[in-house]
Amino acid sequence: MVRFRTHKESLVSYWTQKRVVVTGGAGFLGQHVVQRLQKLGADVFIPRRKDYDFTTLEACKRCMQDARPEVVIHGAAYYGGIWINQLYPGKIYYENLVMGANIMEASRQADVKKFVAIGTACSYPGYLEGTLSEKDLWNGIPHDTVVNYGLTKKMMAVQALAYKKQYGFTAIHLILTNLYGPGASYNPDRSHVVAALIRKFVEAKLAKAPTVEVWGSGKPVREFLYVEDCADGILRAAELCNDIQPLNVGTGIGTSIRELAETTHELSGFRGSITWNTSKPDGQMKKVLDVSRMRNTLNWAPSTLLRDGLRKTIAWYESHKEEADSRP
């Protein structure tokens, strides 16, 4: 994080005593954003669902009245892996769409100075493969396995464009790649590929199992961003960006699922073998973000190498296994 640290004095000045609402601030990504904001001297408000149900505009407006934020970072979301999308497509669609619309509208009414929408690479057209640049976002609908989630996030970018045009409202839209790291959900129904693999290999090691099954051929290429790097990037973008055009946030480095699995296998200490279940689908063969605009705009790039991030994440999971497995 060398480049980020050279910018630290500016960040401290920007965030010191600034009132910030972080929706989803107790979640996987949100907790890391909150920790950084607090260290930088921000006055952080973390709304909880039991107090503020963001599927109602009234609760969103009450949150703004209670917190009086200058900046809102909207990271709250209901999501999960492919299994969750198959089980609850309607719930995922409705809650994310309405939460995004409500919290941005309440922020506008409360004269929030900057709104930071946390989007997802799932919003990119499902037929596209390769390296995806921001201009590709509008070239089609998301993959059918995540369309109910991806479109809700894309609509926040549309809302930001409309609000800028009519109200002069300042909102930025950050498109995040696949995240991993301490604090993720390792619940099999909610976890994504890195967390799922870590749990499989650690549990196989503890059980002295002979093999671990991994779905697919291992050939698809994906991109993985360490969550602490992502939190740094979000805060940097919140300070420096005012462009209404969405901005990719990632590493720009593709890694095959086979390489990911083999590295996790090695670092976990599991001594058995990997069995590839090729009857399971691979999905898109390559999905990596073009981060050239991010590098130029933020003068920043993530610093955690995948191998180092995996090592730290495995260590965290082993020491927090019971908590991590029970996280919803």
Side-chain angles (χ1 to χ4, degrees):
M1 299 190 294
V2 176
R3 290 185 180 178
F4 182 71
R5 286 172 177 162
T6 62
H7 197 61
K8 188 174 181 181
E9 289 184 1
S10 173
L11 279 172
V12 170
S13 175
Y14 181 82
W15 293 108
T16 299
Q17 297 184 333
K18 196 172 247 75
R19 296 187 304 277
V20 185
V21 163
V22 181
T23 72
F28 171 40
L29 172 60
Q31 62 184 301
H32 294 280
V33 173
V34 167
Q35 289 167 9
R36 278 155 175 73
L37 284 169
Q38 291 173 337
K39 288 179 181 178
L40 292 168
D43 180 5
V44 185
F45 186 86
I46 308 170
R48 305 305 295 264
R49 179 156 189 162
K50 64 183 179 63
D51 302 313
Y52 305 96
D53 179 359
F54 288 155
T55 61
T56 70
L57 181 58
E58 292 73 16
C60 295
K61 292 167 68 173
R62 182 163 47 83
C63 176
M64 296 300 124
Q65 292 167 357
D66 292 346
R68 297 176 298 107
E70 298 163 84
V71 178
V72 171
I73 301 175
H74 178 48
Y78 180 72
Y79 68 97
I82 292 176
W83 182 241
I84 283 290
N85 276 274
Q86 291 176 336
L87 286 177
Y88 307 114
K91 179 180 175 68
I92 289 172
Y93 172 79
Y94 177 79
E95 291 200 1
N96 287 297
L97 182 71
V98 175
M99 281 196 298
N102 283 343
I103 200 69
M104 194 182 297
E105 171 63 8
S107 297
R108 179 192 70 79
Q109 292 186 21
D111 293 322
V112 167
K113 302 306 179 187
K114 181 169 283 187
F115 186 94
V116 181
I118 304 301
T120 171
C122 293
S123 295
Y124 275 106
Y127 73 91
L128 292 180
E129 294 186 343
T131 302
L132 306 175
S133 67
E134 290 88 350
K135 63 181 174 60
D136 295 319
L137 184 64
W138 312 106
N139 289 341
I141 65 171
H143 194 273
D144 58 6
T145 58
V146 292
V147 64
N148 50 300
Y149 178 63
L151 275 180
T152 67
K153 293 299 184 178
K154 187 183 285 193
M155 289 309 296
M156 285 202 299
V158 176
Q159 188 176 3
L161 288 165
Y163 278 27
K164 181 68 173 180
K165 183 176 181 180
Q166 182 172 350
Y167 308 116
F169 185 68
T170 300
I172 64 172
H173 188 90
L174 306 179
I175 303 175
L176 308 188
T177 191
N178 303 294
L179 302 183
Y180 72 100
S185 171
Y186 289 78
N187 183 317
D189 291 336
R190 296 294 301 275
S191 62
H192 291 281
V193 61
V194 175
L197 286 173
I198 288 174
R199 178 170 181 166
K200 280 188 173 186
F201 284 116
V202 169
E203 290 190 338
K205 179 180 70 172
L206 294 173
K208 296 182 172 56
T211 187
V212 163
E213 180 183 279
V214 181
W215 284 12
S217 68
K219 294 178 181 179
V221 173
R222 297 291 184 268
E223 175 185 8
F224 304 100
L225 177 62
Y226 191 57
V227 66
E228 293 181 8
D229 286 344
C230 184
D232 290 340
I234 289 170
L235 297 191
R236 196 170 181 93
E239 179 191 0
L240 297 177
C241 292
N242 292 297
D243 193 342
I244 58 175
Q245 297 302 317
L247 182 72
N248 286 339
V249 177
T251 64
I253 300 170
T255 301
S256 72
I257 299 301
R258 180 174 294 275
E259 181 183 351
L260 175 69
E262 290 174 348
T263 304
T264 307
H265 178 196
E266 174 196 346
L267 296 176
S268 71
F270 173 59
R271 296 185 179 278
S273 62
I274 298 175
T275 300
W276 293 92
N277 185 345
T278 55
S279 69
K280 301 297 183 180
D282 277 332
Q284 292 170 276
M285 290 309 295
K286 183 179 181 181
K287 190 175 181 181
V288 176
L289 299 185
D290 179 348
V291 295
S292 55
R293 277 190 63 229
M294 178 199 79
R295 289 174 176 269
N296 292 333
T297 302
L298 306 184
N299 190 29
W300 172 87
S303 62
T304 305
L305 298 176
L306 179 60
R307 187 179 182 86
D308 294 336
L310 287 173
R311 183 182 290 109
K312 289 189 283 188
T313 305
I314 291 168
W316 179 88
Y317 175 68
E318 289 180 324
S319 61
H320 297 80
K321 189 175 186 309
E322 184 176 352
E323 168 199 341
D325 290 349
S326 62
R327 191 179 181 91

